[in-house]
């Protein structure tokens, strides 16, 4: 190994000229074969901060090599900050590179520049007891890459990747036993395994921005990977690139998520997708194994998604206030859920049963074609009954090929859910007479109460029902206005009229012409409806 020590000496200018003495920091350059196990920028300065280490045209196949801009010995206290490592045309595939390192102190504002002709096992902007404001710029090849890593809390670390590859994990930061906040990853090109804005016990305000490149496994803006803590206000913004893993396209694990929490709450996380983005699997704004998902958002205006899209998705608890907005040329192959509460798993730490409502979740669709079903809120069977309440779907335009539900519950009450259709096509032309198209609220085992279905335009193919409940339906309302085309209509009309199913394909006509035929269903109408869907009201301007 060849080492060149370049100390920039003090520049002294006469006080008569109005200048004082100026000192500059030390710079160490390493070239050629590396034979030592530890290379440090502070080997000559005696301080772990303010160093610059240049590693140029260097190489080594040895394991256990560590390269530091500045480092504090393991048993000593002290900070390692404001160090810089520049790596150029260097092949150290078994080495770890750190801008700054301190086991017991802070590591702040360190930088690593890792060029496209370099390889390493791992690259860290810094690794310390705390880590803030550290930065990595990379176009090289490594197994792991972190803007910052800490034993406790970290914040404000960043990564910019313009090419190259990270085989396993690319992360803005990782907090081993603390929180991670305000960390960022920006990807312009390259190939990657897993990408996180940050990981830790509590992740907040972290982000991943991707305009190009390919991710083979998953992306999450913030990943809470410990039993404690939540994922709050993390985001993923994709304007280009691809995620090639399909994962489980039906449910369970998204390959793109704004925020991810194992046991805690996922709240206010978001995913925004536009331009030429390709995602083979599913997308969720906020995702949790065993916690609540609240106020998460997904917005997709173009690109393709091969799995489901959910504003919020949980396996163990409830989904509230989550949103999905699809518009433009977005192409989604799976189902759409404003909020999804699966109730598949009890909490193994607390013994808490899998249970929770789906409430106040929303879906809005404009222009796009959706190949799957659409749910404002969805709740599956749990240990206790779980309700679908106050969820909403709005369809402005586009095509929905399967059923639309304002709110769906497997074993609870569906109440105060709404579907509003202002245009577009719902259903497919070859659907059978028994197929269902739109439900304001649907309860597979319980009641449907006070759900609302409003239709003012578009083509509907199939049955249209404001509320369906296996054990009863009451106070549900269907309002139809404007120029509509229906193939089949399943409603219960105004009080005093018979329950009817209309079977026709024509412009909707005022229902008042049938009001004169009380006691006899007009041609093309079957009566009565099954008991479980009676008791609803129909308002049609005459």
């Amino acid at each position: 190994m060849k080492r060149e020590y370049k100390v920039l000496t003090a520049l002294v200018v006469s006080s008569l000229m109005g200048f004082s003495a100026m000192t500059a920091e030390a710079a160490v350059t390493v070239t050629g074969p590396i034979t030592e196990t530890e290379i440090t920028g502070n080997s000559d300065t005696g301080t772990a901060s303010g160093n610059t280490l240049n590693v140029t045209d260097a190489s080594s196949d040895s394991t256990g090599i560590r390269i530091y801009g500045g480092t504090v010995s393991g048993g000593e206290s002290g900070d390692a900050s404001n160090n810089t490592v520049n790596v150029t045309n260097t092949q150290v595939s078994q080495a770890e590179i750190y801008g700054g390192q301190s086991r017991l102190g802070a590591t702040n504002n360190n930088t690593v520049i890792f060029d496209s002709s370099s390889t390493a096992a791992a690259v860290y902007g810094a690794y310390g007891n705390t880590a803030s404001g550290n930065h990595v710029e990379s176009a090289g090849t490594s197994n792991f890459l972190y803007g910052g890593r800490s034993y406790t809390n970290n914040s404000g670390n960043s990564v910019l990747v313009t090419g190259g590859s990270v085989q396993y994990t690319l992360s803005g930061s990782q907090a081993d036993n603390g929180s991670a906040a305000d960390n960022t990853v920006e990807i312009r090109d390259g190939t990657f395994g897993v990408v996180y804005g940050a990981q830790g016990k509590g992740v907040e305000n972290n982000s991943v921005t991707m305009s190009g490149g390919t991710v083979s496994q998953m992306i999450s803006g913030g990943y809470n990977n410990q039993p404690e803590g939540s994922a709050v206000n993390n985001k993923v913004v994709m304007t280009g690139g691809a995620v090639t893993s399909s994962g489980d396209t039906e449910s369970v694990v998204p390959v793109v998520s704004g925020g991810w929490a194992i046991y805690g709450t996922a709240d206010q996380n978001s995913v925004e997708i536009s331009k030429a983005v390709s995602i083979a699997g599913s997308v969720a704004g906020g995702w949790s194994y065993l916690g609540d998902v609240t106020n998460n958002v997904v917005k997709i205006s173009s690109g393709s998604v091969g799995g489901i899209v959910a504003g919020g998705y949980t396996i163990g608890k409830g989904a509230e206030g989550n949103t999905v907005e699809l518009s433009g040329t977005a192409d989604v192959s799976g189902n759409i859920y404003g909020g999804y509460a699966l109730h598949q798993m009890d909490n193994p730490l607390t013994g808490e049963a899998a249970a929770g409502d789906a409430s106040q979740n929303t879906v809005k669709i404009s222009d796009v074609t959706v190949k799957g079903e659409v749910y404002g809120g969805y709740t599956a069977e749990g240990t206790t009954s779980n309700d679908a309440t106050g969820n909403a779907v709005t369809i402005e335009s586009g095509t929905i090929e399967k059923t639309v539900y304002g709110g769906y519950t497997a074993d609870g009450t569906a109440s105060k859910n709404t579907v509003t259709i202002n245009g577009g096509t719902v259903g497919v032309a070859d659907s059978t007479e028994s197929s269902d198209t739109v439900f304001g609220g649907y309860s597979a085992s319980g009641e449907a109460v006070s759900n609302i279905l409003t239709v003012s335009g578009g083509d509907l193919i199939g049955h249209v029902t404001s509320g369906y409940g296996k054990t009863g339906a009451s106070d549900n309302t269907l309002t139809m206005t404007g120029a509509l085309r229906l193939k089949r209509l399943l409603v219960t009309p105004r009080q005093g009229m018979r329950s009817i199913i209309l079977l026709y394909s024509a412009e909707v006509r005022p229902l008042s012409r049938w009001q004169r035929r009380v006691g006899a269903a007009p041609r093309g109408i079957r009566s009565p409806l099954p008991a479980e869907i009676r008791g609803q009201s129909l308002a049609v301007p005459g």
Side-chain angles (χ1 to χ4, degrees):
M1 175 188 68
K2 181 179 179 182
R3 302 172 60 111
E4 299 177 2
Y5 304 98
K6 300 179 180 178
V7 180
L8 303 178
T9 59
L11 175 64
V12 181
V13 182
S14 171
S15 60
L16 296 176
M17 299 294 293
F19 295 93
S20 59
M22 300 175 62
T23 60
E25 300 165 348
V28 175
T29 298
V30 175
T31 63
I34 295 177
T35 57
E36 300 177 21
T37 58
E38 184 174 295
I39 308 297
T40 68
N42 58 310
S43 56
D44 291 331
T45 64
T47 176
S49 297
N51 303 288
T52 297
L53 173 63
N54 301 311
V55 183
T56 304
D57 300 323
S59 62
S60 177
D61 293 328
S62 301
T63 61
I65 293 175
R66 288 180 170 82
I67 298 170
Y68 304 100
T71 183
V72 176
S73 299
E76 299 179 7
S77 61
D79 299 341
S81 300
N82 300 302
N83 300 289
T84 299
V85 179
N86 298 305
V87 183
T88 306
N89 192 33
T90 292
Q91 312 303 314
V92 285
S93 60
Q94 304 300 315
E96 297 176 355
I97 299 171
Y98 302 83
Q101 187 274 336
S102 176
R103 172 70 181 177
L104 301 178
T107 53
N108 300 328
N109 304 315
N110 299 283
T111 300
V112 175
I113 309 298
F114 189 62
D115 87 333
S116 61
S117 57
S118 298
T119 62
V123 178
Y124 300 84
Y127 196 170
N129 185 52
T130 62
S132 298
N134 303 289
H135 179 66
V136 175
E137 293 184 20
S138 177
T141 300
S142 63
N143 294 328
F144 300 91
L145 193 153
Y146 298 87
R149 187 170 178 179
S150 63
Y151 301 104
T152 59
N153 302 332
N154 65 58
S155 64
N157 302 288
S158 61
V159 174
L160 170 62
V161 182
T162 58
S165 67
V166 179
Q167 183 174 2
Y168 300 117
T169 303
L170 164 63
S171 185
S173 78
Q174 176 168 319
D176 295 345
N177 190 31
S179 62
D182 302 306
N183 303 284
T184 64
V185 172
E186 180 182 352
I187 300 172
R188 298 178 184 174
D189 200 2
T191 58
F192 313 95
V194 175
V195 178
Y196 301 118
Q199 308 165 74
K201 183 173 66 176
V203 287
E204 186 171 359
N205 300 327
N206 305 288
S207 67
V208 176
T209 302
M210 186 174 183
S211 58
T214 302
V215 174
S216 63
Q217 296 183 49
M218 66 175 292
I219 301 175
S220 184
Y223 175 39
N224 185 78
N225 57 2
Q226 300 182 39
E228 300 176 24
S230 301
V232 179
N233 200 34
N234 305 285
K235 66 180 179 180
V236 172
V237 178
M238 298 183 69
T239 58
V243 180
T244 58
S245 173
S246 60
D248 182 345
T249 57
E250 295 298 323
S251 61
V252 183
V253 179
V255 298
V256 178
S257 62
W260 174 308
I262 294 182
Y263 295 99
T265 298
D267 179 57
Q268 301 179 64
N269 304 285
S270 65
V271 175
E272 296 184 19
I273 299 171
S274 62
K275 298 184 179 179
V277 173
S278 175
I279 299 170
S282 298
V283 174
W287 191 93
S288 178
Y289 270 116
L290 302 173
D292 292 313
V293 288
T294 56
N295 306 308
N296 303 287
V297 177
V298 175
K299 295 182 179 180
I300 306 176
S301 60
S302 65
S304 62
V305 177
I308 70 169
V309 173
Y313 190 115
T314 176
I315 291 176
K317 295 196 75 176
E320 181 178 359
N322 304 285
T323 300
V324 173
E325 294 185 12
L326 302 181
S327 62
T329 60
D331 181 9
V332 178
S333 297
N335 295 341
I336 310 298
Y337 303 89
Y340 191 127
L342 183 59
H343 304 143
Q344 189 178 58
M345 185 184 300
D346 295 342
N347 191 315
L349 298 180
T350 65
E352 186 178 7
D357 299 336
S359 60
Q360 311 302 322
N361 303 287
T362 62
V363 174
K364 183 177 181 179
I365 297 173
S366 303
D367 300 330
V368 303
T369 295
V370 177
K371 300 177 180 65
E373 296 178 325
V374 177
Y375 300 82
Y378 178 101
T379 175
E381 292 185 14
T383 304
T384 61
S385 66
N386 304 280
D387 300 331
T389 304
N391 304 286
V393 174
T394 301
I395 300 172
E396 298 292 346
S397 55
T399 300
I400 315 300
E401 296 186 356
K402 294 186 179 179
T403 306
V404 176
Y405 302 86
Y408 177 101
T409 174
D411 60 2
T413 299
S415 64
K416 300 180 180 179
N417 303 287
T418 64
V419 175
T420 303
I421 301 175
N422 297 321
T425 300
V426 182
V428 294
D430 61 351
S431 62
T432 64
E433 180 179 321
S434 62
S435 67
D436 296 309
T437 299
V438 183
F439 292 94
Y442 187 105
S443 176
S445 300
E447 292 184 310
V449 181
S450 300
N451 300 286
I452 298 173
L453 171 57
T454 302
V455 186
S456 63
D459 295 339
L460 306 184
I461 306 170
H463 296 157
V464 182
T465 306
S466 52
Y468 173 93
K470 186 174 182 179
T471 62
S474 60
D475 299 321
N476 302 289
T477 301
L478 171 63
T479 301
M480 307 185 75
T481 62
L484 312 176
R485 291 186 61 84
L486 306 180
K487 182 176 180 181
R488 284 182 294 276
L489 174 63
L490 173 59
V491 298
T492 302
R494 299 176 190 268
Q495 185 176 3
M497 292 187 62
R498 301 185 63 180
S499 302
I500 60 173
I501 299 178
L502 306 183
L503 302 172
Y504 62 93
S505 295
E507 296 293 325
V508 168
R509 295 163 290 180
L511 193 64
S512 58
R513 72 172 57 195
W514 290 312
Q515 290 177 345
R516 295 188 297 270
R517 305 187 62 174
V518 176
R523 184 178 180 182
I525 299 175
R526 292 206 313 267
S527 175
L529 288 180
E532 62 267 25
I533 50 178
R534 294 178 185 169
Q536 305 168 78
S537 62
L538 172 66
V540 179

